[in-house]
Amino acid sequence: TQLLEQSPQFLSIQEGENLTVYCNSSSVFSSLQWYRQEPGEGPVLLVTVVTGGEVKKLKRLTFQFGDARKDSSLHITAAQPGDTGLYLCAGAWSGTASKLTFGTGTRLQVTL
Amino acid sequence: KAGVTQTPRYLIKTRGQQVTLSCSPISGHRSVSWYQQTPGQGLQFLFEYFSETQRNKGNFPGRFSGRQFSNSRSEMNVSTLELGDSALYLCASSLAGSWTEAFFGQGTRLTVV
């Protein structure tokens, strides 16, 4: 059974601060995705990474995929209240590509 | 184009009843997956369908079942509802079933009383 560890579970910061969320597995991912979910809504895809060492940027969000494709991080620069939400990583492994396994999530709150 | 549509959005059922949830994927998408989301367990994979065939199944009891129609629309059914089945049920669709991109619906909030 592949497991996905996500940390931290909760993060409460002030507007303008930086933060990093981590996603780790003991197995090699074939692909990894990051989502953001608002209360009562479905997760919205932010990015997909597939290549070891890959870095992708989405405005103030920077996503990194580890060289060994076992871990990933999401870094937010100068957080804003609009960044508040539940951040989820989800991985697929070779042989089970039709099944996404989700991390437990990081609940981020950004206050003024 | 329209996103993933799940109906109904909210549902209240009594223990022992059964329920059917519906999911219409993005036009052209042939794969549909279902997930259960609870505060304690997070998002748990239920099953995945591609071209009307179930390709993968999670660790849920047989009371949870699903199917996919020729137009890619999918339904999931839960029989003999238990209080612990209260959750947000999410459907996701993917273009060709590789799941490098999953697009989720807004979910169906099921409350079992």
Side-chain angles (χ1 to χ4, degrees), chain A residues 1-3 26-27 93 99 101, chain B residues 59:
Chain A
T1 303
Q2 290 98 345
L3 294 175
S26 57
S27 304
W93 288 268
K99 170 184 171 182
T101 298
Chain B
N59 293 328

Side-chain angles (χ1 to χ4, degrees), chain A residues 1 31 33 35 37 40-45 47-48 50 86 88 92 95-104, chain B residues 9-10 33 35 37 42-43 45 48 55-58 88 90 97-107 109:
Chain A
T1 303
S31 70
Q33 299 160 39
Y35 295 82
Q37 185 178 21
E41 302 292 325
V44 175
L45 178 67
V47 77
T48 300
V50 296
L86 179 66
L88 296 155
T96 59
S98 65
K99 170 184 171 182
L100 285 177
T101 298
F102 280 81
T104 48
Chain B
R9 285 292 309 273
Y10 304 93
S33 281
Y35 292 81
Q37 186 175 30
L43 270 105
F45 173 79
E48 189 253 6
R55 292 199 300 184
N56 216 326
K57 190 177 190 305
L88 181 67
L90 292 160
S98 66
W99 294 103
T100 53
E101 288 188 332
F103 297 90
F104 282 83
Q106 292 180 298
R109 170 73 63 187

